[in-house]
PDB file of all heavy atoms in Angstrom:
ATOM      1  N   ALA A  27      41.854 -73.638  75.118  1.00 58.00           N
ATOM      2  CA  ALA A  27      40.612 -74.257  75.644  1.00 58.00           C
ATOM      3  C   ALA A  27      40.631 -74.266  77.173  1.00 58.00           C
ATOM      4  O   ALA A  27      39.622 -73.956  77.806  1.00 58.00           O
ATOM      5  CB  ALA A  27      40.437 -75.664  75.087  1.00 58.00           C
ATOM      6  N   LEU A  28      41.732 -74.609  77.743  1.00 56.00           N
ATOM      7  CA  LEU A  28      41.851 -74.624  79.209  1.00 56.00           C
ATOM      8  C   LEU A  28      41.693 -73.234  79.779  1.00 56.00           C
ATOM      9  O   LEU A  28      40.993 -73.054  80.790  1.00 56.00           O
ATOM     10  CB  LEU A  28      43.219 -75.223  79.607  1.00 56.00           C
ATOM     11  CG  LEU A  28      43.446 -75.396  81.115  1.00 56.00           C
ATOM     12  CD1 LEU A  28      42.412 -76.378  81.691  1.00 56.00           C
ATOM     13  CD2 LEU A  28      44.860 -75.905  81.386  1.00 56.00           C
ATOM     14  N   GLY A  29      42.261 -72.253  79.125  1.00 54.00           N
ATOM     15  CA  GLY A  29      42.122 -70.845  79.572  1.00 54.00           C
ATOM     16  C   GLY A  29      40.689 -70.407  79.533  1.00 54.00           C
ATOM     17  O   GLY A  29      40.189 -69.747  80.446  1.00 54.00           O
ATOM     18  N   LEU A  30      39.969 -70.770  78.470  1.00 50.00           N
ATOM     19  CA  LEU A  30      38.548 -70.423  78.360  1.00 50.00           C
ATOM     20  C   LEU A  30      37.728 -71.101  79.429  1.00 50.00           C
ATOM     21  O   LEU A  30      36.832 -70.507  80.022  1.00 50.00           O
ATOM     22  CB  LEU A  30      38.031 -70.776  76.974  1.00 50.00           C
ATOM     23  CG  LEU A  30      38.522 -69.911  75.815  1.00 50.00           C
ATOM     24  CD1 LEU A  30      38.044 -70.471  74.482  1.00 50.00           C
ATOM     25  CD2 LEU A  30      38.032 -68.474  75.989  1.00 50.00           C
ATOM     26  N   LEU A  31      38.018 -72.361  79.667  1.00 50.00           N
ATOM     27  CA  LEU A  31      37.291 -73.096  80.704  1.00 50.00           C
ATOM     28  C   LEU A  31      37.468 -72.448  82.081  1.00 50.00           C
ATOM     29  O   LEU A  31      36.524 -72.322  82.850  1.00 50.00           O
ATOM     30  CB  LEU A  31      37.726 -74.553  80.762  1.00 50.00           C
ATOM     31  CG  LEU A  31      37.176 -75.475  79.695  1.00 50.00           C
ATOM     32  CD1 LEU A  31      37.810 -76.857  79.803  1.00 50.00           C
ATOM     33  CD2 LEU A  31      35.655 -75.587  79.821  1.00 50.00           C
ATOM     34  N   VAL A  32      38.673 -72.051  82.382  1.00 50.00           N
ATOM     35  CA  VAL A  32      38.945 -71.416  83.673  1.00 50.00           C
ATOM     36  C   VAL A  32      38.217 -70.100  83.791  1.00 50.00           C
ATOM     37  O   VAL A  32      37.594 -69.812  84.802  1.00 50.00           O
ATOM     38  CB  VAL A  32      40.472 -71.251  83.889  1.00 50.00           C
ATOM     39  CG1 VAL A  32      40.767 -70.351  85.064  1.00 50.00           C
ATOM     40  CG2 VAL A  32      41.132 -72.601  84.071  1.00 50.00           C
ATOM     41  N   SER A  33      38.257 -69.284  82.716  1.00 52.00           N
ATOM     42  CA  SER A  33      37.615 -67.955  82.820  1.00 52.00           C
ATOM     43  C   SER A  33      36.087 -68.085  82.839  1.00 52.00           C
ATOM     44  O   SER A  33      35.418 -67.337  83.535  1.00 52.00           O
ATOM     45  CB  SER A  33      38.062 -67.066  81.694  1.00 52.00           C
ATOM     46  OG  SER A  33      37.575 -67.519  80.447  1.00 52.00           O
ATOM     47  N   PHE A  34      35.522 -69.012  82.081  1.00 55.00           N
ATOM     48  CA  PHE A  34      34.074 -69.195  82.073  1.00 55.00           C
ATOM     49  C   PHE A  34      33.626 -70.061  83.249  1.00 55.00           C
ATOM     50  O   PHE A  34      32.455 -70.019  83.607  1.00 55.00           O
ATOM     51  CB  PHE A  34      33.586 -69.826  80.760  1.00 55.00           C
ATOM     52  CG  PHE A  34      33.602 -68.871  79.600  1.00 55.00           C
ATOM     53  CD1 PHE A  34      34.351 -69.123  78.505  1.00 55.00           C
ATOM     54  CD2 PHE A  34      32.878 -67.676  79.663  1.00 55.00           C
ATOM     55  CE1 PHE A  34      34.379 -68.241  77.428  1.00 55.00           C
ATOM     56  CE2 PHE A  34      32.887 -66.812  78.615  1.00 55.00           C
ATOM     57  CZ  PHE A  34      33.645 -67.081  77.498  1.00 55.00           C
ATOM     58  N   GLY A  35      34.515 -70.799  83.815  1.00 51.00           N
ATOM     59  CA  GLY A  35      34.173 -71.684  84.926  1.00 51.00           C
ATOM     60  C   GLY A  35      33.879 -70.933  86.219  1.00 51.00           C
ATOM     61  O   GLY A  35      33.187 -71.427  87.098  1.00 51.00           O
ATOM     62  N   LYS A  36      34.406 -69.709  86.340  1.00 55.00           N
ATOM     63  CA  LYS A  36      34.129 -68.910  87.526  1.00 55.00           C
ATOM     64  C   LYS A  36      32.674 -68.490  87.508  1.00 55.00           C
ATOM     65  O   LYS A  36      32.227 -67.761  86.635  1.00 55.00           O
ATOM     66  CB  LYS A  36      35.015 -67.683  87.536  1.00 55.00           C
ATOM     67  CG  LYS A  36      36.030 -67.670  88.620  1.00 55.00           C
ATOM     68  CD  LYS A  36      36.745 -66.349  88.685  1.00 55.00           C
ATOM     69  CE  LYS A  36      37.705 -66.369  89.844  1.00 55.00           C
ATOM     70  NZ  LYS A  36      38.398 -65.110  89.978  1.00 55.00           N
ATOM     71  N   LYS A  37      31.939 -68.978  88.458  1.00 76.00           N
ATOM     72  CA  LYS A  37      30.527 -68.691  88.515  1.00 76.00           C
ATOM     73  C   LYS A  37      30.285 -67.306  89.134  1.00 76.00           C
ATOM     74  O   LYS A  37      30.933 -66.927  90.082  1.00 76.00           O
ATOM     75  CB  LYS A  37      29.857 -69.777  89.358  1.00 76.00           C
ATOM     76  CG  LYS A  37      28.401 -69.963  89.102  1.00 76.00           C
ATOM     77  CD  LYS A  37      27.900 -71.154  89.870  1.00 76.00           C
ATOM     78  CE  LYS A  37      26.500 -70.848  90.313  1.00 76.00           C
ATOM     79  NZ  LYS A  37      26.015 -71.799  91.286  1.00 76.00           N
ATOM     80  N   THR A  38      29.329 -66.575  88.578  1.00 88.00           N
ATOM     81  CA  THR A  38      29.018 -65.273  89.101  1.00 88.00           C
ATOM     82  C   THR A  38      28.268 -65.401  90.445  1.00 88.00           C
ATOM     83  O   THR A  38      27.498 -66.341  90.648  1.00 88.00           O
ATOM     84  CB  THR A  38      28.183 -64.446  88.102  1.00 88.00           C
ATOM     85  OG1 THR A  38      27.919 -63.177  88.685  1.00 88.00           O
ATOM     86  CG2 THR A  38      26.891 -65.108  87.770  1.00 88.00           C
ATOM     87  N   ASN A  39      28.520 -64.460  91.322  1.00 94.00           N
ATOM     88  CA  ASN A  39      27.855 -64.458  92.632  1.00 94.00           C
ATOM     89  C   ASN A  39      26.794 -63.372  92.706  1.00 94.00           C
ATOM     90  O   ASN A  39      26.379 -62.999  93.796  1.00 94.00           O
ATOM     91  CB  ASN A  39      28.873 -64.287  93.758  1.00 94.00           C
ATOM     92  CG  ASN A  39      29.613 -62.988  93.695  1.00 94.00           C
ATOM     93  OD1 ASN A  39      29.802 -62.398  92.629  1.00 94.00           O
ATOM     94  ND2 ASN A  39      30.050 -62.509  94.834  1.00 94.00           N
ATOM     95  N   GLU A  40      26.371 -62.887  91.566  1.00 95.00           N
ATOM     96  CA  GLU A  40      25.362 -61.799  91.524  1.00 95.00           C
ATOM     97  C   GLU A  40      24.084 -62.177  92.270  1.00 95.00           C
ATOM     98  O   GLU A  40      23.593 -61.398  93.075  1.00 95.00           O
ATOM     99  CB  GLU A  40      25.056 -61.448  90.074  1.00 95.00           C
ATOM    100  CG  GLU A  40      24.134 -60.249  89.922  1.00 95.00           C
ATOM    101  CD  GLU A  40      23.943 -59.818  88.488  1.00 95.00           C
ATOM    102  OE1 GLU A  40      24.351 -60.572  87.556  1.00 95.00           O
ATOM    103  OE2 GLU A  40      23.398 -58.725  88.281  1.00 95.00           O
ATOM    104  N   ARG A  41      23.586 -63.362  92.026  1.00 95.00           N
ATOM    105  CA  ARG A  41      22.326 -63.795  92.664  1.00 95.00           C
ATOM    106  C   ARG A  41      22.499 -63.873  94.195  1.00 95.00           C
ATOM    107  O   ARG A  41      21.605 -63.452  94.930  1.00 95.00           O
ATOM    108  CB  ARG A  41      21.905 -65.152  92.102  1.00 95.00           C
ATOM    109  CG  ARG A  41      20.626 -65.684  92.645  1.00 95.00           C
ATOM    110  CD  ARG A  41      19.362 -65.134  92.021  1.00 95.00           C
ATOM    111  NE  ARG A  41      19.323 -65.352  90.604  1.00 95.00           N
ATOM    112  CZ  ARG A  41      18.893 -64.452  89.733  1.00 95.00           C
ATOM    113  NH1 ARG A  41      18.468 -63.284  90.120  1.00 95.00           N
ATOM    114  NH2 ARG A  41      18.910 -64.683  88.456  1.00 95.00           N
ATOM    115  N   GLU A  42      23.642 -64.380  94.633  1.00 95.00           N
ATOM    116  CA  GLU A  42      23.881 -64.478  96.091  1.00 95.00           C
ATOM    117  C   GLU A  42      23.936 -63.095  96.725  1.00 95.00           C
ATOM    118  O   GLU A  42      23.387 -62.891  97.814  1.00 95.00           O
ATOM    119  CB  GLU A  42      25.175 -65.227  96.379  1.00 95.00           C
ATOM    120  CG  GLU A  42      25.096 -66.715  96.069  1.00 95.00           C
ATOM    121  CD  GLU A  42      25.452 -67.040  94.612  1.00 95.00           C
ATOM    122  OE1 GLU A  42      25.757 -66.113  93.835  1.00 95.00           O
ATOM    123  OE2 GLU A  42      25.400 -68.230  94.258  1.00 95.00           O
ATOM    124  N   LEU A  43      24.586 -62.152  96.047  1.00 96.00           N
ATOM    125  CA  LEU A  43      24.644 -60.789  96.592  1.00 96.00           C
ATOM    126  C   LEU A  43      23.279 -60.139  96.631  1.00 96.00           C
ATOM    127  O   LEU A  43      22.932 -59.471  97.584  1.00 96.00           O
ATOM    128  CB  LEU A  43      25.637 -59.934  95.770  1.00 96.00           C
ATOM    129  CG  LEU A  43      27.101 -60.318  95.834  1.00 96.00           C
ATOM    130  CD1 LEU A  43      27.920 -59.393  94.935  1.00 96.00           C
ATOM    131  CD2 LEU A  43      27.627 -60.272  97.250  1.00 96.00           C
ATOM    132  N   GLU A  44      22.500 -60.390  95.584  1.00 96.00           N
ATOM    133  CA  GLU A  44      21.123 -59.812  95.554  1.00 96.00           C
ATOM    134  C   GLU A  44      20.314 -60.380  96.723  1.00 96.00           C
ATOM    135  O   GLU A  44      19.638 -59.618  97.424  1.00 96.00           O
ATOM    136  CB  GLU A  44      20.437 -60.151  94.228  1.00 96.00           C
ATOM    137  CG  GLU A  44      20.934 -59.364  93.064  1.00 96.00           C
ATOM    138  CD  GLU A  44      20.340 -59.807  91.745  1.00 96.00           C
ATOM    139  OE1 GLU A  44      19.713 -60.907  91.668  1.00 96.00           O
ATOM    140  OE2 GLU A  44      20.499 -59.049  90.746  1.00 96.00           O
ATOM    141  N   ASN A  45      20.378 -61.693  96.926  1.00 97.00           N
ATOM    142  CA  ASN A  45      19.616 -62.300  98.009  1.00 97.00           C
ATOM    143  C   ASN A  45      20.079 -61.807  99.379  1.00 97.00           C
ATOM    144  O   ASN A  45      19.263 -61.534 100.259  1.00 97.00           O
ATOM    145  CB  ASN A  45      19.712 -63.828  97.955  1.00 97.00           C
ATOM    146  CG  ASN A  45      18.959 -64.404  96.750  1.00 97.00           C
ATOM    147  OD1 ASN A  45      18.045 -63.772  96.213  1.00 97.00           O
ATOM    148  ND2 ASN A  45      19.361 -65.557  96.322  1.00 97.00           N
ATOM    149  N   SER A  46      21.364 -61.674  99.539  1.00 96.00           N
ATOM    150  CA  SER A  46      21.919 -61.190 100.821  1.00 96.00           C
ATOM    151  C   SER A  46      21.446 -59.763 101.085  1.00 96.00           C
ATOM    152  O   SER A  46      21.040 -59.421 102.203  1.00 96.00           O
ATOM    153  CB  SER A  46      23.447 -61.261 100.752  1.00 96.00           C
ATOM    154  OG  SER A  46      24.000 -60.732 101.930  1.00 96.00           O
ATOM    155  N   LEU A  47      21.504 -58.924 100.065  1.00 97.00           N
ATOM    156  CA  LEU A  47      21.074 -57.530 100.209  1.00 97.00           C
ATOM    157  C   LEU A  47      19.587 -57.444 100.516  1.00 97.00           C
ATOM    158  O   LEU A  47      19.170 -56.633 101.336  1.00 97.00           O
ATOM    159  CB  LEU A  47      21.440 -56.762  98.945  1.00 97.00           C
ATOM    160  CG  LEU A  47      21.307 -55.252  98.975  1.00 97.00           C
ATOM    161  CD1 LEU A  47      22.048 -54.633 100.150  1.00 97.00           C
ATOM    162  CD2 LEU A  47      21.807 -54.633  97.657  1.00 97.00           C
ATOM    163  N   LYS A  48      18.795 -58.297  99.888  1.00 97.00           N
ATOM    164  CA  LYS A  48      17.349 -58.304 100.166  1.00 97.00           C
ATOM    165  C   LYS A  48      17.086 -58.673 101.634  1.00 97.00           C
ATOM    166  O   LYS A  48      16.251 -58.066 102.282  1.00 97.00           O
ATOM    167  CB  LYS A  48      16.631 -59.323  99.258  1.00 97.00           C
ATOM    168  CG  LYS A  48      16.384 -58.814  97.864  1.00 97.00           C
ATOM    169  CD  LYS A  48      15.665 -59.825  97.017  1.00 97.00           C
ATOM    170  CE  LYS A  48      15.484 -59.322  95.597  1.00 97.00           C
ATOM    171  NZ  LYS A  48      14.783 -60.268  94.734  1.00 97.00           N
TER     172      LYS A  48
END
Side-chain angles (χ1 to χ4, degrees):
L28 185 62
L30 289 174
L31 282 174
V32 168
S33 69
F34 286 120
K36 247 188 177 181
K37 203 173 144 192
T38 180
N39 62 331
E40 185 174 13
R41 182 81 58 221
E42 290 87 1
L43 293 178
E44 286 175 347
N45 291 337
S46 177
L47 190 53
K48 282 181 182 180

